[in-house]
């Protein structure tokens, strides 16, 4: 995910908030915390994976920057059932799906961010992005999430979610779908429909373009994941 990780490195700044929803073992969390010095909220619902996330946070010396949560996110607080033995593709159990499952407490992204401003929010929840981002309505509507990195690979079909409709909702909130070229540090506009793969959405295209161009060279650091 070179382009997406580079966008995070070039868009975010030391001390700003990065939100990592579906952190897994923490590749993005460690990048934001160790390379940039961002504050991080890191969410991973599966306990065994969360334990690896916490170890990676400690190994990289960024425990003071990261608020790691062993929870899920959704449209409203409550609980959800997750698969637990599918490694990096664990997901919310779909209706009629049979699998070994765990019950996980759920908060909304609005609950997590509260009055803060996220420079970047990365969300990779294996198709459950629609209700997860419905739980971020206040922050999205108010522009308190400046940019999103999100997965649009058709996984939402397992729940009956239309990812084009989700992108359309984000556009209605003022976000624009973009691609990022790390080598030229340039954002380009993308069509409003038909995306496959990770997608960058920015609230203010001109501001995001300026931020990635103006990002200072950062010191190379040794990070472990």
């Amino acid at each position: 995910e070179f382009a997406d990780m580079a966008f995070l490195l070039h868009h975010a700044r030391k001390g700003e908030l990065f939100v990592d929803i579906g952190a897994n073992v923490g590749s993005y969390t460690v990048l934001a915390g160790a390379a940039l010095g961002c504050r991080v909220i890191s969410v991973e619902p599966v306990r065994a994976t969360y334990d690896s996330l916490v170890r990676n946070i400690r190994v990289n010396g960024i425990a003071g920057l990261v608020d790691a949560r062993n929870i899920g996110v959704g449209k409203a607080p409550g609980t959800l059932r997750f698969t637990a033995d599918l490694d990096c593709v664990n997901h919310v159990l779909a209706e009629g799906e049979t699998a070994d499952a765990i019950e996980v407490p759920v908060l909304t992204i609005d609950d997590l961010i509260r009055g803060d401003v996220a420079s970047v929010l990365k969300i990779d929840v294996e198709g459950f992005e629609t209700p997860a981002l419905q739980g971020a309505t206040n922050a999205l509507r108010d522009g308190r999430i400046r940019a999103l990195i999100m997965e649009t690979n058709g996984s939402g079909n397992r729940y009956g979610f239309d990812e084009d409709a989700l992108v359309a909702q984000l556009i209605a909130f003022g976000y624009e779908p973009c691609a990022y070229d790390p080598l030229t540090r340039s954002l380009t506009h993308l069509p409003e429909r038909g995306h496959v793969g990770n997608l960058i959405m920015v609230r203010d295209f001109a501001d995001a373009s300026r931020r990635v161009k103006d990002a200072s060279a950062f010191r190379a650091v040794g990070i472990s994941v």
Side-chain angles (χ1 to χ4, degrees):
E1 300 185 358
F2 174 65
D4 302 311
M5 288 183 164
F7 175 78
L8 169 61
L9 286 172
H10 295 158
H11 186 277
R13 301 289 188 269
K14 181 177 180 179
E16 293 183 342
L17 178 64
F18 169 62
V19 182
D20 193 357
I21 304 297
N24 200 265
V25 300
S27 298
Y28 278 85
T29 288
V30 170
L31 193 67
L36 288 176
C38 288
R39 296 176 293 118
V40 183
I41 297 172
S42 188
V43 171
E44 172 51 49
V46 178
R47 182 69 202 199
T49 309
Y50 171 80
D51 289 343
S52 296
L53 167 66
V54 170
R55 283 195 296 272
N56 284 328
I57 291 167
R58 290 174 179 164
V59 163
N60 287 282
I62 56 172
L65 292 173
V66 183
D67 177 7
R69 305 285 191 99
N70 183 207
I71 61 172
V73 296
K75 183 178 180 179
T79 60
L80 286 169
R81 297 179 73 225
F82 283 79
T83 63
D85 57 357
L86 299 178
D87 195 29
C88 62
V89 291
N90 280 310
H91 56 269
V92 174
L93 214 64
E95 185 176 353
E97 185 176 3
T98 57
D100 291 336
I102 54 174
E103 191 167 277
V104 176
V106 170
L107 290 178
T108 67
I109 294 173
D110 278 335
D111 290 332
L112 292 169
I113 295 177
R114 297 185 180 274
D116 213 335
V117 175
S119 178
V120 180
L121 181 145
K122 184 224 91 183
I123 181 164
D124 181 356
V125 290
E126 299 300 322
F128 207 67
E129 282 79 6
T130 294
L133 290 174
Q134 285 173 337
T137 297
N138 292 334
L140 291 167
R141 183 177 54 226
D142 296 345
R144 286 185 290 106
I145 299 171
R146 291 176 176 165
L148 299 94
I149 301 169
M150 57 185 286
E151 190 174 57
T152 53
N153 64 2
S155 295
N157 292 336
R158 71 160 58 99
Y159 308 105
F161 299 140
D162 181 345
E163 291 171 351
D164 279 341
L166 174 58
V167 172
Q169 181 61 65
L170 291 170
I171 291 170
F173 280 131
Y175 293 84
E176 298 181 59
C178 300
Y180 185 58
D181 182 341
L183 301 182
T184 61
R185 295 200 181 194
S186 58
L187 284 166
T188 56
H189 296 280
L190 290 177
E192 297 184 0
R193 300 179 61 84
H195 303 289
V196 178
N198 281 7
L199 178 66
I200 294 169
M201 303 284 295
V202 298
R203 175 75 179 207
D204 184 329
F205 186 87
D207 178 67
S209 296
R210 177 189 57 78
R211 287 174 71 92
V212 297
K213 289 284 189 184
D214 291 349
S216 300
F218 45 84
R219 180 178 58 87
V221 295
I223 59 178
S224 301
V225 177

